[in-house]
């Protein structure tokens, strides 16, 4: 007899994550090939192709001072990387390091994709828990507006601000900057390289997922309220859907996304759904958070996406998504598996 969650997933008619494009079965050994297939599909139809780095990332400390009553230091760091037009692009980050971090006492770190650098998160509690934060203010990488592909990082990748169908959009650019920030973090002797995460909310939750899916050096991925085109299954979703988000915010994505965004019926024909994105993070740690009243993001579809992606972790002998056989209630937390969820 099918479980309640299995029945709900069956109603969504999702493409499988453990079948290769040619129909053959996915195993632990060939999962990297399947992961590449899923990333290529997501790049082609949704986010655009992520460029490979063409040179070394460098960095420079511009300023440093104590914060939180001297419990941590905050540095202004300039991150620089080469681009296809032969020029370098530089963007700033804020690096906040607890004073307890040393080469002998390495601490975990997180690349925090932030809307603005004004401590609108509990920085002192984060410091007290022993976590290093590298804040990336996203609009200092690429402006969150249509018609701005000729500015900042964009100007180095698109001649006269013009994109082709499969070129990456803003989410891809913000994710690329997260990886270049990771390049820097991995040079620091007080960072625990086995615990380096990426984190974001809403559009930056989508970005954190895309960054983590593409860059396996991120060991932990944290996404809050990513919703449509993020962690929520599109098939059968309520609230925001592909046609609306592409019409209003198409510059976040590649131009090819139009082919699966003409109408909500297109979802049934897509060769992918958002559980592909989550599965590409396996077998690393992934934590999804959602809001019970956020019908625009649709927490039910976010939860079911976790359940649909779970077999990717189970393939490696992990626990995957450990949850009861029911939809979640406000306050539910399911952190036991390698893929966790909090409503």
């Amino acid at each position: 007899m099918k479980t309640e969650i299995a029945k709900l997933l069956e109603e969504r008619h999702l493409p499988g994550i453990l079948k290769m494009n040619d129909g053959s079965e996915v195993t632990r050994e060939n999962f990297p090939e399947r992961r590449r297939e899923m990333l290529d599909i997501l790049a082609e139809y949704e986010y655009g192709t992520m460029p490979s780095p063409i040179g070394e990332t460098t960095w420079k400390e511009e300023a440093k001072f104590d914060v939180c009553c001297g419990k941590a230091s905050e540095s202004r760091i300039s991150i620089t990387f080469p681009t296809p037009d032969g020029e370098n692009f530089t963007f700033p980050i804020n690096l906040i390091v607890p004073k307890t971090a040393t080469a002998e006492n390495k601490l975990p770190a997180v690349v925090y994709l932030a809307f603005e650098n004004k401590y609108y998160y509990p920085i002192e509690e984060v410091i007290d828990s022993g976590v290093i934060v590298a804040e990336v203010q996203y609009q200092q990488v690429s402006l969150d507006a249509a018609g701005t592909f000729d500015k900042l990082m964009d100007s180095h990748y698109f001649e006269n601000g013009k994109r082709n169908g499969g070129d990456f959009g803003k989410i891809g650019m913000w994710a690329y900057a997260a990886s270049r920030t990771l390049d820097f973090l991995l040079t620091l002797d007080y960072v625990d390289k086995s615990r380096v995460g990426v984190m974001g909310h809403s559009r930056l939750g989508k970005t954190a997922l895309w960054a983590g899916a593409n860059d396996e050096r991120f060991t932990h991925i944290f996404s809050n309220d990513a919703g449509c085109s993020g962690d929520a299954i599109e098939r059968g979703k309520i609230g925001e859907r592909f046609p609306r988000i592409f019409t209003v915010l198409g510059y976040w994505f590649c131009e090819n996304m139009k082919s699966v965004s003409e109408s909500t019926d297109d979802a049934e024909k897509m060769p992918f759904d958002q559980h592909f994105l989550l599965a590409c993070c396996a077998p690393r740690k992934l934590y999804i958070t959602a809001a019970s009243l956020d019908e625009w993001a649709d927490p039910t579809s976010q939860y079911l996406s976790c359940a649909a992606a779970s077999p990717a972790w189970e393939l490696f002998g992990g626990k995957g998504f450990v949850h009861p056989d029911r939809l979640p209630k406000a306050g539910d937390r399911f952190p036991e598996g390698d893929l966790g969820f909090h409503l």
Side-chain angles (χ1 to χ4, degrees), residues 49-113:
T49 301
M50 289 286 280
S52 298
I54 58 175
E56 183 180 356
T57 300
T58 58
W59 59 277
K60 179 182 178 182
E61 185 176 77
E62 307 287 356
K64 185 175 182 178
F65 47 90
D66 284 352
V67 292
C68 296
C69 301
K71 291 194 291 187
S73 66
E74 179 170 346
S75 298
R76 301 279 190 262
I77 307 290
S78 295
I79 306 288
T80 299
F81 60 88
T83 69
D85 69 357
E87 301 291 332
N88 290 336
F89 177 68
T90 299
F91 66 96
I93 69 167
N94 291 342
L95 180 69
I96 303 166
V97 182
K99 291 290 183 69
T100 54
T102 66
E104 293 71 37
N105 183 45
K106 299 179 190 295
L107 297 183
V110 63
V111 175
Y112 175 34
L113 295 157

Side-chain angles (χ1 to χ4, degrees), residues 180-196:
R180 304 292 68 80
T181 303
L182 179 59
D183 293 343
F184 158 66
L185 285 177
L186 294 178
T187 69
L188 303 176
D189 62 4
Y190 50 79
V191 168
D192 181 351
K193 281 118 182 129
S194 69
R195 294 185 293 166
V196 183

